[in-house]
Amino acid sequence: MSNVSMEWKVDGPAGADGQAKRDLVEIKNLVKYFPVRGGLLQRVVAWVQAVDNVSFSVREGETLGMVGESGCGKTTVGRTLLRLVPATSGQVLFDGQDVFRARARELKALRRNMQIIFQDPYSSLDPRMPVGESIAEGLLVHGMSSRKERFEIVINTLRKVGLQDYHARRYPHEFSGGQRQRIGIARALALRPKFIVCDEPVSALDVSIQAQVLNILKELQAEFGLTYLFIAHNLSVVEHISDRVAVMYLGKMVELSDRDELYRNPLHPYTQALLSAIPVPDPNLKRERIILKGDVPSPLRPPTGCRFHPRCPVALAHCSQQEPVFKEVSPGHFVACWRVE
């Protein structure tokens, strides 16, 4: 079998040439509420405010890390902007094209350039289908009718993620968790995308395997100029792979900044608490932990004003009354906090 070269390169990764990169994905006032039904007629009795008025952009060739506690809306943002779940309101522009208004044919073309790597690779793979066919399925859907071409792309893609040719004939249950995640990466990569949502792709893996998968993602980004939205709750992982970092709390964006600036000078009390929990790899150094009181409020009835104020150690009187504006306080550093005011 001939070794087909995959010419998938776009412009180099962000910052490689010292030039500012354009916004590839723009999210404007994104809202996603899930209905809660009850009673005999299953009427809507409440709404889960999973994502509430979130705005940000992802630059071409960069990795934007998105962090926050479980249930803060990170995964919902990723799936909603890909239109895997319908948005309540808002707008998402991919390369200038409105994703939410795209018709069926336009959306199909968009999805070739917008892919996702799921958190649990096993549940996202068909157990009755060899992994080679799972990877090739997207190629068939998007009009690649030649079986030989599909097969060669599958083999080359498996090699790119560190797997062997014969793995294409095996079934998902025959692989380890790390190998399945590589297969998930290969399936997203096979369609030559520009943008990939990485939905906690290493959270279920051992630390040593996490490092391997992260290195694969970085190598592929450098080679093909990919753009990532990297969703995670492990701040050490996000620091390793991200160019910028966004912090979410209870459906709201509370801080967004360049990685180095955020880890060096966190402004929001919630970000400060998250960063204080990162272990220091030196037994002689101790970081002062910020212990947050109470539990995360329910997204069914979020607090008025700043949603973080019931747990905030430095809350002001009007934090419970007025919601802070998410705005730029220094070049490239955005935060929503009355204390910063």
Side-chain angles (χ1 to χ4, degrees):
M1 185 197 71
S2 62
N3 186 8
V4 176
S5 175
M6 296 188 294
E7 297 296 328
W8 297 354
K9 283 196 177 182
V10 295
D11 294 337
D17 55 4
Q19 299 294 323
K21 297 296 181 178
R22 67 186 179 92
D23 291 337
L24 181 65
V25 184
E26 297 177 71
I27 294 86
K28 300 179 180 180
N29 307 116
L30 183 64
V31 176
K32 176 58 184 176
Y33 291 175
F34 292 96
V36 177
R37 300 181 183 276
L40 292 175
L41 300 178
Q42 288 296 293
R43 292 174 175 168
V44 175
V45 295
W47 294 91
V48 175
Q49 300 179 29
V51 179
D52 191 7
N53 198 29
V54 168
S55 299
F56 63 97
S57 62
V58 187
R59 299 167 186 161
E60 185 177 31
E62 81 163 345
T63 299
L64 176 66
M66 182 170 285
V67 299
E69 293 171 285
S70 296
C72 71
K74 307 183 301 294
T75 294
T76 303
V77 167
R79 297 193 178 201
T80 305
L81 71 87
L82 293 177
R83 206 168 145 182
L84 296 180
V85 294
T88 303
S89 64
Q91 184 181 41
V92 173
L93 301 177
F94 177 78
D95 218 1
Q97 187 172 358
D98 194 324
V99 176
F100 293 164
R101 293 189 176 184
R103 297 184 179 181
R105 183 174 297 180
E106 296 169 331
L107 184 61
K108 183 177 179 180
L110 279 171
R111 283 188 168 151
R112 181 164 188 161
N113 287 314
M114 304 171 70
Q115 290 293 303
I116 185 170
I117 301 169
F118 293 100
Q119 178 178 0
D120 183 1
Y122 188 69
S123 64
S124 64
L125 294 170
D126 189 336
R128 301 165 297 178
M129 185 181 291
V131 299
E133 291 187 20
S134 291
I135 296 171
E137 192 172 23
L139 298 169
L140 181 61
V141 168
H142 285 274
M144 183 170 284
S145 57
S146 170
R147 183 180 180 85
K148 181 180 178 181
E149 289 181 9
R150 293 199 305 271
F151 180 74
E152 291 179 342
I153 288 178
V154 167
I155 295 301
N156 285 321
T157 309
L158 285 173
R159 292 173 184 171
K160 289 289 183 184
V161 298
L163 296 176
Q164 303 299 318
D165 298 6
Y166 63 85
H167 286 141
R169 298 187 295 273
R170 292 189 174 181
Y171 289 83
H173 72 272
E174 300 180 73
F175 295 92
S176 67
Q179 288 176 319
R180 289 178 195 144
Q181 197 57 278
R182 292 171 189 247
I183 293 165
I185 295 171
R187 186 169 60 175
L189 188 66
L191 283 168
R192 312 180 185 183
K194 295 179 181 178
F195 174 64
I196 299 178
V197 173
C198 305
D199 184 12
E200 303 204 35
V202 298
S203 63
L205 307 178
D206 294 337
V207 174
S208 60
I209 307 301
Q210 285 184 13
Q212 294 175 17
V213 172
L214 290 174
N215 288 335
I216 287 173
L217 290 172
K218 293 190 76 171
E219 290 167 4
L220 292 172
Q221 183 178 43
E223 185 173 356
F224 301 126
L226 298 172
T227 302
Y228 294 144
L229 174 63
F230 191 90
I231 298 168
H233 59 266
N234 188 323
L235 288 162
S236 298
V237 169
V238 170
E239 184 180 16
H240 173 71
I241 197 170
S242 301
D243 299 300
R244 291 188 299 149
V245 180
V247 183
M248 286 194 66
Y249 181 81
L250 203 62
K252 291 280 191 180
M253 189 85 76
V254 297
E255 192 160 2
L256 171 65
S257 177
D258 291 340
R259 175 194 59 194
D260 294 339
E261 169 68 12
L262 186 88
Y263 281 76
R264 179 175 50 87
N265 182 34
L267 297 178
H268 198 280
Y270 178 62
T271 309
Q272 294 168 1
L274 290 179
L275 294 180
S276 74
I278 300 177
V280 179
D282 186 340
N284 298 318
L285 293 177
K286 291 186 178 180
R287 178 177 283 154
E288 184 179 352
R289 284 292 309 274
I290 300 174
I291 307 299
L292 298 178
K293 298 179 180 180
D295 297 321
V296 180
S298 170
L300 279 169
R301 286 175 293 275
T304 58
C306 174
R307 295 191 175 185
F308 185 59
H309 86 264
R311 304 174 71 197
C312 182
V314 293
L316 301 171
H318 63 281
C319 290
S320 61
Q321 305 299 323
Q322 291 180 283
E323 182 179 338
V325 179
F326 185 69
K327 67 179 184 179
E328 189 172 23
V329 295
S330 64
H333 198 155
F334 297 80
V335 67
C337 180
W338 289 118
R339 275 282 179 181
V340 180
E341 298 282 331

